PDB file of all heavy atoms in Angstrom:
ATOM      1  N   SER H1353      -6.914 -10.282 -10.943  1.00 95.00           N
ATOM      2  CA  SER H1353      -6.008 -11.229 -10.256  1.00 95.00           C
ATOM      3  C   SER H1353      -6.911 -11.766  -9.074  1.00 95.00           C
ATOM      4  O   SER H1353      -7.724 -11.019  -8.490  1.00 95.00           O
ATOM      5  CB  SER H1353      -4.804 -10.535  -9.725  1.00 95.00           C
ATOM      6  OG  SER H1353      -3.967 -11.357  -8.986  1.00 95.00           O
ATOM      7  N   THR H1354      -6.620 -13.056  -8.754  1.00 96.00           N
ATOM      8  CA  THR H1354      -7.442 -13.586  -7.627  1.00 96.00           C
ATOM      9  C   THR H1354      -6.338 -14.242  -6.592  1.00 96.00           C
ATOM     10  O   THR H1354      -5.271 -14.758  -7.031  1.00 96.00           O
ATOM     11  CB  THR H1354      -8.404 -14.731  -7.943  1.00 96.00           C
ATOM     12  OG1 THR H1354      -7.639 -15.739  -8.695  1.00 96.00           O
ATOM     13  CG2 THR H1354      -9.406 -14.113  -9.073  1.00 96.00           C
ATOM     14  N   LEU H1355      -6.749 -14.155  -5.308  1.00 97.00           N
ATOM     15  CA  LEU H1355      -6.048 -14.678  -4.278  1.00 97.00           C
ATOM     16  C   LEU H1355      -6.950 -15.632  -3.524  1.00 97.00           C
ATOM     17  O   LEU H1355      -8.049 -15.282  -3.161  1.00 97.00           O
ATOM     18  CB  LEU H1355      -5.505 -13.576  -3.138  1.00 97.00           C
ATOM     19  CG  LEU H1355      -4.844 -14.131  -1.936  1.00 97.00           C
ATOM     20  CD1 LEU H1355      -3.711 -14.775  -2.114  1.00 97.00           C
ATOM     21  CD2 LEU H1355      -4.792 -12.839  -0.971  1.00 97.00           C
ATOM     22  N   THR H1356      -6.456 -16.955  -3.410  1.00 97.00           N
ATOM     23  CA  THR H1356      -7.212 -17.944  -2.784  1.00 97.00           C
ATOM     24  C   THR H1356      -6.535 -18.381  -1.504  1.00 97.00           C
ATOM     25  O   THR H1356      -5.347 -18.849  -1.521  1.00 97.00           O
ATOM     26  CB  THR H1356      -7.500 -19.157  -3.656  1.00 97.00           C
ATOM     27  OG1 THR H1356      -8.293 -18.778  -4.862  1.00 97.00           O
ATOM     28  CG2 THR H1356      -8.341 -20.197  -2.904  1.00 97.00           C
ATOM     29  N   VAL H1357      -7.108 -18.182  -0.411  1.00 97.00           N
ATOM     30  CA  VAL H1357      -6.509 -18.605   0.956  1.00 97.00           C
ATOM     31  C   VAL H1357      -7.046 -19.989   1.147  1.00 97.00           C
ATOM     32  O   VAL H1357      -8.287 -20.202   1.293  1.00 97.00           O
ATOM     33  CB  VAL H1357      -6.880 -17.616   2.030  1.00 97.00           C
ATOM     34  CG1 VAL H1357      -6.236 -18.124   3.383  1.00 97.00           C
ATOM     35  CG2 VAL H1357      -6.510 -16.215   1.753  1.00 97.00           C
ATOM     36  N   THR H1358      -6.125 -20.982   1.091  1.00 97.00           N
ATOM     37  CA  THR H1358      -6.714 -22.434   1.148  1.00 97.00           C
ATOM     38  C   THR H1358      -6.565 -22.816   2.571  1.00 97.00           C
ATOM     39  O   THR H1358      -5.577 -22.476   3.296  1.00 97.00           O
ATOM     40  CB  THR H1358      -5.854 -23.349   0.295  1.00 97.00           C
ATOM     41  OG1 THR H1358      -4.394 -23.177   0.627  1.00 97.00           O
ATOM     42  CG2 THR H1358      -5.779 -22.900  -1.207  1.00 97.00           C
ATOM     43  N   SER H1359      -7.516 -23.696   2.957  1.00 96.00           N
ATOM     44  CA  SER H1359      -7.509 -24.278   4.250  1.00 96.00           C
ATOM     45  C   SER H1359      -7.208 -23.257   5.338  1.00 96.00           C
ATOM     46  O   SER H1359      -6.168 -23.256   6.189  1.00 96.00           O
ATOM     47  CB  SER H1359      -6.449 -25.349   4.431  1.00 96.00           C
ATOM     48  OG  SER H1359      -6.581 -26.012   5.677  1.00 96.00           O
ATOM     49  N   ALA H1360      -7.954 -22.255   5.346  1.00 96.00           N
ATOM     50  CA  ALA H1360      -7.907 -21.015   6.226  1.00 96.00           C
ATOM     51  C   ALA H1360      -7.786 -21.362   7.657  1.00 96.00           C
ATOM     52  O   ALA H1360      -8.647 -22.289   8.157  1.00 96.00           O
ATOM     53  CB  ALA H1360      -8.924 -19.877   5.900  1.00 96.00           C
ATOM     54  N   HIS H1361      -7.029 -20.656   8.489  1.00 96.00           N
ATOM     55  CA  HIS H1361      -6.988 -20.874   9.899  1.00 96.00           C
ATOM     56  C   HIS H1361      -7.205 -19.530  10.591  1.00 96.00           C
ATOM     57  O   HIS H1361      -6.881 -18.480   9.877  1.00 96.00           O
ATOM     58  CB  HIS H1361      -5.584 -21.574  10.381  1.00 96.00           C
ATOM     59  CG  HIS H1361      -5.587 -23.067   9.894  1.00 96.00           C
ATOM     60  ND1 HIS H1361      -6.285 -23.975  10.483  1.00 96.00           N
ATOM     61  CD2 HIS H1361      -4.946 -23.654   8.883  1.00 96.00           C
ATOM     62  CE1 HIS H1361      -6.135 -25.131   9.892  1.00 96.00           C
ATOM     63  NE2 HIS H1361      -5.295 -24.969   8.958  1.00 96.00           N
ATOM     64  N   PRO H1362      -7.521 -19.411  11.807  1.00 96.00           N
ATOM     65  CA  PRO H1362      -7.677 -18.193  12.456  1.00 96.00           C
ATOM     66  C   PRO H1362      -6.514 -17.214  12.342  1.00 96.00           C
ATOM     67  O   PRO H1362      -6.720 -16.098  12.255  1.00 96.00           O
ATOM     68  CB  PRO H1362      -7.829 -18.572  13.930  1.00 96.00           C
ATOM     69  CG  PRO H1362      -8.546 -19.918  13.899  1.00 96.00           C
ATOM     70  CD  PRO H1362      -7.890 -20.630  12.662  1.00 96.00           C
ATOM     71  N   GLU H1363      -5.292 -17.691  12.324  1.00 96.00           N
ATOM     72  CA  GLU H1363      -4.053 -16.911  12.067  1.00 96.00           C
ATOM     73  C   GLU H1363      -4.100 -16.185  10.818  1.00 96.00           C
ATOM     74  O   GLU H1363      -3.212 -15.258  10.539  1.00 96.00           O
ATOM     75  CB  GLU H1363      -2.865 -17.612  12.515  1.00 96.00           C
ATOM     76  CG  GLU H1363      -2.575 -18.861  11.530  1.00 96.00           C
ATOM     77  CD  GLU H1363      -2.999 -20.125  12.226  1.00 96.00           C
ATOM     78  OE1 GLU H1363      -4.072 -20.100  13.002  1.00 96.00           O
ATOM     79  OE2 GLU H1363      -2.449 -21.185  11.933  1.00 96.00           O
ATOM     80  N   ASP H1364      -4.907 -16.649   9.851  1.00 96.00           N
ATOM     81  CA  ASP H1364      -4.987 -16.128   8.499  1.00 96.00           C
ATOM     82  C   ASP H1364      -5.899 -14.852   8.460  1.00 96.00           C
ATOM     83  O   ASP H1364      -5.954 -14.114   7.486  1.00 96.00           O
ATOM     84  CB  ASP H1364      -5.376 -17.113   7.401  1.00 96.00           C
ATOM     85  CG  ASP H1364      -4.473 -18.287   7.246  1.00 96.00           C
ATOM     86  OD1 ASP H1364      -3.282 -17.972   7.340  1.00 96.00           O
ATOM     87  OD2 ASP H1364      -4.884 -19.323   7.132  1.00 96.00           O
ATOM     88  N   SER H1365      -6.631 -14.609   9.564  1.00 97.00           N
ATOM     89  CA  SER H1365      -7.495 -13.501   9.655  1.00 97.00           C
ATOM     90  C   SER H1365      -6.670 -12.165   9.539  1.00 97.00           C
ATOM     91  O   SER H1365      -5.632 -12.162  10.301  1.00 97.00           O
ATOM     92  CB  SER H1365      -8.159 -13.507  11.015  1.00 97.00           C
ATOM     93  OG  SER H1365      -8.973 -14.673  11.066  1.00 97.00           O
ATOM     94  N   SER H1366      -7.070 -11.353   8.658  1.00 97.00           N
ATOM     95  CA  SER H1366      -6.275 -10.116   8.357  1.00 97.00           C
ATOM     96  C   SER H1366      -6.949  -9.293   7.285  1.00 97.00           C
ATOM     97  O   SER H1366      -7.971  -9.631   6.848  1.00 97.00           O
ATOM     98  CB  SER H1366      -4.813 -10.633   7.773  1.00 97.00           C
ATOM     99  OG  SER H1366      -3.987  -9.432   7.646  1.00 97.00           O
ATOM    100  N   PHE H1367      -6.444  -8.253   7.034  1.00 98.00           N
ATOM    101  CA  PHE H1367      -6.947  -7.383   5.970  1.00 98.00           C
ATOM    102  C   PHE H1367      -6.061  -7.560   4.770  1.00 98.00           C
ATOM    103  O   PHE H1367      -4.798  -7.365   4.695  1.00 98.00           O
ATOM    104  CB  PHE H1367      -6.772  -5.951   6.508  1.00 98.00           C
ATOM    105  CG  PHE H1367      -7.537  -4.818   5.694  1.00 98.00           C
ATOM    106  CD1 PHE H1367      -8.963  -5.133   5.337  1.00 98.00           C
ATOM    107  CD2 PHE H1367      -6.857  -3.666   5.207  1.00 98.00           C
ATOM    108  CE1 PHE H1367      -9.609  -4.113   4.548  1.00 98.00           C
ATOM    109  CE2 PHE H1367      -7.726  -2.691   4.551  1.00 98.00           C
ATOM    110  CZ  PHE H1367      -8.993  -2.956   4.258  1.00 98.00           C
TER     111      PHE H1367
END
Side-chain angles (χ1 to χ4, degrees):
Chain H
S1353 176
T1354 60
L1355 168 69
T1356 301
V1357 183
T1358 62
S1359 187
H1361 290 286
E1363 57 265 31
D1364 298 324
S1365 298
S1366 188
F1367 193 50

